[in-house]
Amino acid sequence: MRLYGAAANPNGHGHNYVLEVALEGTPDAVTGMIFDLKDLKDIMNREVIDPMDHRHLNYEVPPFDKVIPTTENLAIEIWGRLAPQFEGTPARLHAVRLYETEDTFVDYFGK
Amino acid sequence: MATLRLTHTYRFSASHRLHAPELSAEENQRLYGRCNNPHGHGHNYVVAVTVEGAVDPATGMVVPPGALDELLQRQVVSVYDHKYLNFDVPEYAGITATTENMAVAIQERLRAAWPAGFPALVHLRVQETKRNSIELSVIEEVV
């Protein structure tokens, strides 16, 4: 309670998270794109939005039954889910920016 | 261990007059325009502070947000909020309170009181209006 304050409320609390994902790469010579945004949307929905949206992270979304779902740990987990999706494509995951509120966000570059 | 950048945003309202003592009254008027108004004018400033460090495995955080909030409140917000910068804040006695100079002064205020063991201060953004902000990358090591 001393460390986390109101965020330690035993029954939890919620946020409207905003996730920005940055890809890096050379545009494909034919399509002119680094990555097809439709495919990116499918990946985002499958890997992050569907499993996490409107869930109680601590109870419903492993590994947050064991790992504290701070913004930092969420960004690391999201990176871990997304980065492998771009293997074998011209794109590489460059950064994950996760806003917990308009005034607080973390950037993770996978290192 | 994973290294992340964490950005927290702080707000204060302050007034200032842009007036360079080295320039004549006419030159100041020509350079700064309405910002040279003799009775000053105000802004709702937004300061974004970015720190970089490893996630503490025990807390899952780069820095306890309360500790960063306390530092910003003590070093910046309580000193700048609802003040006339030219007269009320000592660093602007000799320099003009442009957003550029404010970013440097805020950096110095933070570095002077940066707690041991805190993650490194890497970036500051001082926004004066929605159309106007200054970015300052902090290059030197904070010790």
Side-chain angles (χ1 to χ4, degrees):
Chain A
M1 196 40 108
R2 198 162 56 235
L3 176 65
Y4 296 114
N9 177 34
N11 293 321
H13 65 279
H15 293 290
N16 295 320
Y17 289 98
V18 176
L19 176 62
E20 292 179 2
V21 171
L23 301 181
E24 190 176 65
T26 305
D28 181 273
V30 175
T31 67
M33 299 190 291
I34 293 172
F35 198 75
D36 190 321
L37 288 177
K38 282 196 310 298
D39 296 339
L40 181 60
K41 192 178 187 179
D42 290 343
I43 290 170
M44 296 303 293
N45 281 332
R46 186 180 68 236
E47 299 297 325
V48 180
I49 310 296
D50 290 346
M52 294 190 184
D53 188 38
H54 284 71
R55 304 285 181 179
H56 193 310
L57 297 173
N58 303 60
Y59 298 149
E60 299 181 73
V61 186
F64 301 112
D65 52 339
K66 299 188 180 67
V67 176
I68 306 160
T70 56
T71 318
E72 291 90 329
N73 283 339
L74 269 164
I76 295 169
E77 172 63 21
I78 289 168
W79 178 283
R81 291 177 182 218
L82 292 180
Q85 308 298 323
F86 304 103
E87 283 168 13
T89 80
R92 190 187 75 79
L93 185 58
H94 169 66
V96 164
R97 172 173 287 189
L98 184 63
Y99 286 85
E100 189 176 79
T101 69
E102 283 179 12
D103 287 341
T104 305
F105 63 86
V106 300
D107 291 309
Y108 185 46
F109 302 93
K111 289 171 186 154
Chain B
M1 198 182 299
T3 298
L4 287 93
R5 288 187 166 207
L6 172 82
T7 302
H8 269 279
T9 304
Y10 302 88
R11 292 179 168 78
F12 61 84
S13 304
S15 55
H16 65 174
R17 180 194 187 202
L18 299 187
H19 185 91
E22 298 85 355
L23 302 177
S24 70
E26 294 73 25
E27 286 170 324
N28 269 295
Q29 183 56 50
R30 201 162 47 238
L31 176 65
Y32 294 121
R34 287 194 295 178
C35 298
N36 186 237
N37 175 36
H39 297 290
H41 64 280
H43 295 288
N44 295 320
Y45 289 95
V46 182
V47 177
V49 178
T50 304
V51 301
E52 182 179 285
V55 177
D56 180 339
T59 65
M61 297 190 290
V62 170
V63 63
L68 193 59
D69 292 350
E70 191 278 324
L71 178 71
L72 264 291
Q73 180 65 31
R74 176 161 45 85
Q75 289 298 109
V76 180
V77 177
S78 68
V79 183
Y80 281 43
D81 190 36
H82 284 69
K83 299 290 172 61
Y84 186 55
L85 298 174
N86 300 54
F87 296 159
D88 294 331
V89 180
E91 52 261 38
Y92 303 109
I95 59 165
T96 309
T98 58
T99 319
E100 291 88 332
N101 282 339
M102 289 176 68
V104 174
I106 288 169
Q107 179 201 209
E108 286 170 1
R109 281 190 167 273
L110 292 178
R111 287 166 62 89
W114 203 252
F118 249 41
L121 174 66
V122 291
H123 197 82
L124 281 177
R125 180 171 197 260
V126 181
Q127 182 180 306
E128 189 179 70
T129 70
K130 283 186 178 165
R131 298 180 56 207
N132 174 15
S133 61
I134 288 289
E135 308 264 348
L136 176 67
S137 291
V138 182
I139 297 162
E140 292 170 76
E141 272 304 297
V142 175
V143 287

